[in-house]
Each structure stands twice: as C-alpha cells, then as structure tokens.
Amino acid sequence: MDKSQIKTQKFIIKYFTEIMIKGTTAKRQMIAQVYNNLVNLLSRISSDIQIKKFFDKVEIVCPIEVVDQVRTKLLDTPGIEQILEALQFDNMNTLDDIKVKVNEMMADEIKGKTFVIRAKRTGTQDFKSTNIEQTVGGYMLAMNPETKGVALKNAEVTINIELEHTKLNIITKKHMGLRGFPIGTQGSIISLMSGGFDSTVASYLTMKRGIKTHFIFFNLGGIAHEIGVKQVAYYLWNKFGSSHRVSFISVPFDDVVTEIFKSVSQPYMGVMLKRLMLTASEKIANSMGIDALVTGESVAQVSSQTLRNLALIDQCTNKLVLRPLAMMSKPDIIDIAYKIGTRRFAESMPEYCGVISKNPVTHGSYERMEKEARGFDYSILDESVKKSVFVNVDEIDQDVNEIGQMEIITDLNSGDYTVIDIRQTPDCIETSCETLKIPFYELKNELKKLPQDKTYLFYCDKGIMSQLHAQYLRDSEGYTNIKVYRPESK
C-alpha cells in the first residue's frame, strides 16, 4: 500500500503527567477540559476531525490535508505531555495480519539501517507483546534484504506499534507536548503587558500552567506602542490560549504620568508608577471577578525590582501578585522568548523610557513611600481607570499599516522648522533652528499654546518616544504640523 493513498492521519494524545497523578475528581475535570479545549480548537480547522476521549489519552483522526495545522495546534496546547502520530488499521486479528501490514507501511524506513520493533497490546489475544515484536521483526528482516538487520539496543530505527483489540496503530512520529495544565482549570489572571521580553514570557508561563490570561496595557501616550502590544497579545493568545476568549484592556496613563512628575520626588517615580499600575489593575480585576495579577518582574533586574522595592510595590494591592520570572536571568528569559516566538516582537517593541527616575532608589523607605503616596492625586488614577477600553483579543485589528509612520527629518536646512526636545532631562539639544524644551508629559497641554502655522519636529535620544508622541498627537488631537527629527548620526 502506498502511503500517499492514506486519506486520514491519527494522533494519540497523552495527558500531562501531573494530571494523571491527581485525585479522581481533579483528574476527571482536567481530562474533560483537555478534551473540550481540543474540540474547540480543532473544530475551527475542519469539521471532519474526529476526537475521542479515553481515561488515559485522546485520539484524533483528521483528513490528511490538515495534518500540519492539527499538529501545530496540538504542540501549542497546554495539558498535553506527548503527541504520537499513527497510521491506523482495523481488523488486525492475527499475527500474520499485523506483520504484513507493518512491513507494507514501514519497509522503506529500514533500508540500509538497523531496526527494532516495540509493541504494546490491549485486549484479549492468544499472543503477547513479545510475540508481536518477534514475529514482525523476523518477517521484516526476511522481506527486506537491504536492511542492516535487527538491533535490540541502539537501533537506528525504532518501529513502535500498538494493538488495541483488533485495531493496529503504527506510530510514525513522537513529539513532546507543551505540558502544563489545560486552560480553564486554574482560574483567571490579568497580565501587566508591556510587550517586551519579560511580560510576554510571564504571560506564556501562566497560560502554560492552565490559567486563563487577560492582558492589561498602560498607555503612556503612544498609539504605536499600543498597537505593538496588541499584536503580541494576539499572537500569544492565538498560539497558546485560543481555547478561551480573553480581554485586552488599555488604560490611558499619560495624565497619571504627568501627575507623577508633579507630585512624586525623582528617586521614587519608578516605584510609584509600578504601584499605580497595580492599583489600577486591582480595580479592573475586581470588576472582572479575578483574584490575581502577573508581572514580568525579575529580582534585581532593574532598580524598581529589588526585594525592598518589590515589597513597597506590593503594599498597594490586596491581590495575589505572581512573578514567574522572579528568579530567572535575562538570557534565560530571552531564550524562552525565542522558543515561543515573541523575541521578534520584543526586540522591535518600544521601551517606553519616559518614567525612569534620574537617581532611582534601590532600597526604598516604607515611611518615605507612604509620604510620596499621600501626595499623589488619586482622582486622576480613578479617571484613567474609568476611561479604560476593553476589547476581546480575538477581535483585535491586526492591520497596523493604517497607523502609518511619522515623517522623519534628518536635515534641518530642508525647511522652516522648530525642534521640540521632548526628553525629561533638563538639557536641551542645540540645533541650527529654533529649539524648544517641552518634556513629553507636557506636550498635550503645551503644544496647543504654540503657533499652529509652524512645523514642529519632536526629538528624543533614540527616536522612539518622539515617534510615539507624534503619532499620538496626530491621531488623537488632529495635528498635521508634526514630524520627527532624527539627526543622521543617530
């Protein structure tokens, strides 16, 4: 029989090992959830896919045309320990039936190679698994003179077969699954998502552990950044968590940042920003009936992530805050990002560097933090939370080309321009034309006071924040006289 004539492919799914050692009730619930998730996911690929649930496995039979799609989805579904690809044949009643069929399908695999047969058997037959191995192995050796022979140890080809009563499965490939628990068994969480390496990996780890993961993004003024974060959130959901619908929550935080600069001393700005993000997340989590938050923070990675500062940050919320990356190094985090496919997003994601203290505290004081917190106007935070926008991740518009890019000017002699240095530092860039100093957090209010018959070029060190704010003001406030200045040496 020519393999090209086979019309269907069988997958045998083995549950994650930790599922199988659970108590009866928990195990039954998790097995049912794996099955339900697979039905939900695979039905979107083809209505012709058949799925059967057993106490120790799930069997899937799909048309050969969609094998690649099914395989990819199975590899990315939490709760699966192992994925076996198999050729299935019915009415295999005798050893002769079995040996002929296995040789028919697998003879080409053992040409010029050593091989061994490994068999498992379920049901009542008048022969044992060892009889299957010996009979099939001997027959294939006799029928295939081009093989190098049987090798019980270190064989170049292992042919795995499983006999279930009279149904024969010839295992052609084995894959390790994602493991973890099925989504839907461990509750829900909100992930504080910036789109960088840390937050994307942290979100992946919660999904892998079976937690339904929603995303919250704190928009500090850049629509381009929001689109980028929506993209990576959609990618993560679509790849690892699409068995369940989740939300993407965007919270406008530009006014909160402005208030931080007005009311918080420089060393505590970074810690205060993190506290306010957790406070806002808690309010939204309460409205959604969610008990926990997840962040991508890693101990000592930056100044706000020392043990003392993390303790100061956690004081502001009663929610459980999970930090799955807490003890991981940056190279390890990047390795995971590469493996799961988010590295390409993170590397191009703007690092919103606007709210970084000039001399950040690394071992904050509880008393000083309390004083700093009292000076903040929390009505501004409440207003930002009220303006939060909720969308379903599966409904996120992926066409970011509509956003466009701001025009970049490298030669100031090419027009009549006014450069606006939007950095928060006190120094101002020197140029050959009129130059103004307006920190990014004051742009929204100060730009409207300037003459609108001039063309303004935004400048910052890396050209990222200037691009973000120029797009934001163009799209939200309707300015058409804004461009970005990026010197050629930059």
Side-chain angles (χ1 to χ4, degrees):
M1 181 178 179
D2 187 348
K3 288 185 183 180
S4 64
Q5 297 176 358
I6 297 174
K7 302 300 182 183
T8 61
Q9 170 72 61
K10 182 174 183 178
F11 290 92
I12 301 172
I13 306 306
K14 303 291 187 179
Y15 304 120
F16 176 44
T17 304
E18 287 187 35
I19 293 176
M20 303 309 292
I21 62 175
K22 296 289 184 183
T24 303
T25 301
K27 179 165 62 177
R28 185 182 297 117
Q29 177 195 11
M30 290 187 182
I31 288 173
Q33 191 68 64
V34 171
Y35 172 77
N36 291 336
N37 290 355
L38 289 175
V39 169
N40 187 6
L41 294 168
L42 299 182
S43 63
R44 302 173 197 169
I45 297 176
S46 172
S47 59
D48 294 327
I49 297 175
Q50 301 172 25
I51 308 175
K52 292 183 179 180
K53 177 183 65 175
F54 300 88
F55 77 95
D56 61 343
K57 63 182 176 180
V58 173
E59 291 188 353
I60 298 165
V61 178
C62 69
I64 203 72
E65 296 80 12
V66 297
V67 165
D68 290 342
Q69 291 174 263
V70 172
R71 181 190 301 114
T72 297
K73 186 55 66 177
L74 294 177
L75 288 170
D76 293 333
T77 299
I80 295 175
E81 178 79 21
Q82 192 176 53
I83 302 151
L84 307 179
E85 297 187 33
L87 302 175
Q88 179 179 293
F89 304 95
D90 296 322
N91 300 317
M92 296 288 108
N93 297 296
T94 67
L95 287 173
D96 286 342
D97 293 334
I98 296 170
K99 72 182 184 182
V100 171
K101 183 57 66 177
V102 174
N103 184 66
E104 182 181 356
M105 302 311 303
M106 304 302 291
D108 288 343
E109 305 296 326
I110 64 173
K111 288 182 178 179
K113 298 177 181 178
T114 58
F115 73 98
V116 67
I117 307 297
R118 298 300 183 199
K120 293 183 180 180
R121 180 182 59 87
T122 302
T124 303
Q125 297 96 3
D126 58 1
F127 48 82
K128 298 180 180 181
S129 298
T130 53
N131 298 132
I132 299 175
E133 294 173 350
Q134 293 166 357
T135 300
V136 174
Y139 182 78
M140 292 188 72
L141 182 62
M143 297 298 293
N144 297 280
E146 296 180 10
T147 182
K148 290 166 60 177
V150 173
L152 298 181
K153 293 183 178 181
N154 302 316
E156 294 174 87
V157 176
T158 299
I159 300 175
N160 293 283
I161 58 179
E162 295 183 1
L163 183 66
E164 299 177 3
H165 303 286
T166 61
K167 182 186 297 181
L168 176 67
N169 294 314
I170 304 175
I171 310 301
T172 57
K173 294 180 183 178
K174 289 186 178 183
H175 311 279
M176 288 302 299
L178 191 63
R179 310 179 77 186
F181 294 122
I183 292 178
T185 60
Q186 307 303 316
S188 297
I189 203 167
I190 294 180
S191 174
L192 279 68
M193 172 69 77
S194 69
F197 289 104
D198 301 339
S199 62
T200 55
V201 171
S203 299
Y204 155 74
L205 291 174
T206 57
M207 286 188 279
K208 179 181 176 180
R209 199 61 179 169
I211 304 174
K212 183 178 176 181
T213 303
H214 301 269
F215 305 96
I216 189 167
F217 168 68
F218 293 94
N219 194 332
L220 305 182
I223 192 169
H225 192 184
E226 178 173 343
I227 293 298
V229 176
K230 281 183 175 178
Q231 277 190 303
V232 71
Y234 177 86
Y235 171 84
L236 283 167
W237 169 82
N238 187 54
K239 189 170 180 63
F240 302 111
S242 61
S243 58
H244 290 69
R245 173 170 272 188
V246 300
S247 296
F248 184 97
I249 307 107
S250 180
V251 185
F253 239 50
D254 48 336
D255 290 339
V256 173
V257 171
T258 300
E259 175 61 18
I260 288 176
F261 276 91
K262 289 180 179 178
S263 62
V264 180
S265 60
Q266 275 277 351
Y268 281 82
M269 285 183 179
V271 175
M272 188 64 183
L273 176 63
K274 294 291 185 67
R275 285 171 60 100
L276 294 171
M277 287 179 173
L278 282 188
T279 301
S281 299
E282 179 181 54
K283 292 176 182 294
I284 289 172
N286 286 337
S287 71
M288 298 173 68
I290 291 175
D291 298 321
L293 309 172
V294 62
T295 79
E297 291 162 316
S298 176
V299 171
Q301 190 173 116
V302 296
S303 61
S304 65
Q305 295 175 19
T306 62
L307 288 181
R308 169 58 65 85
N309 287 351
L310 290 173
L312 292 175
I313 291 169
D314 279 2
Q315 276 189 321
C316 71
T317 180
N318 291 318
K319 294 293 181 185
L320 171 65
V321 180
L322 299 182
R323 295 183 172 92
L325 311 186
M327 303 304 165
M328 295 179 64
S329 67
K330 195 67 175 185
D332 290 340
I333 295 168
I334 292 174
D335 285 345
I336 296 175
Y338 178 79
K339 176 183 176 183
I340 65 176
T342 60
R343 179 171 180 168
R344 59 191 175 92
F345 292 97
E347 287 179 334
S348 61
M349 193 66 62
E351 285 291 341
Y352 205 100
C353 52
V355 187
I356 298 177
S357 304
K358 186 176 181 181
N359 297 298
V361 63
T362 57
H363 192 76
S365 161
Y366 289 104
E367 293 77 14
R368 177 70 178 277
M369 189 72 253
E370 184 178 347
K371 179 182 176 181
E372 297 288 348
R374 284 198 303 267
F376 186 85
D377 182 357
Y378 285 90
S379 66
I380 295 174
L381 180 69
D382 293 337
E383 191 62 28
S384 292
V385 172
K386 288 179 183 177
K387 294 178 180 178
S388 299
V389 177
F390 289 68
V391 296
N392 293 320
V393 172
D394 55 297
E395 296 173 349
I396 287 175
D397 183 5
Q398 295 299 294
D399 188 9
V400 299
N401 292 325
E402 294 181 6
I403 300 300
Q405 291 290 318
M406 299 303 299
E407 183 179 352
I408 297 174
I409 302 298
T410 58
D411 181 9
L412 295 179
N413 296 321
S414 61
D416 184 15
Y417 304 121
T418 297
V419 174
I420 299 179
D421 187 335
I422 71 169
R423 297 174 297 170
Q424 71 173 73
T425 54
D427 57 306
C428 183
I429 185 175
E430 295 183 4
T431 70
S432 59
C433 61
E434 180 184 13
T435 304
L436 303 176
K437 180 70 177 183
I438 305 178
F440 74 93
Y441 54 89
E442 295 180 358
L443 278 173
K444 187 176 178 181
N445 293 326
E446 295 300 319
L447 194 61
K448 65 181 68 174
K449 301 176 184 179
L450 299 177
Q452 296 305 308
D453 58 349
K454 292 186 175 182
T455 300
Y456 297 99
L457 308 183
F458 288 1
Y459 169 79
C460 68
D461 287 323
K462 297 182 179 180
I464 294 174
M465 288 182 60
S466 54
Q467 183 78 229
L468 292 175
H469 282 284
Q471 290 187 18
Y472 171 72
L473 291 170
R474 178 195 66 186
D475 296 332
S476 64
E477 304 295 329
Y479 288 100
T480 59
N481 57 336
I482 301 173
K483 300 179 182 180
V484 171
Y485 174 49
R486 189 175 299 167
E488 291 183 356
S489 58
K490 297 289 183 180

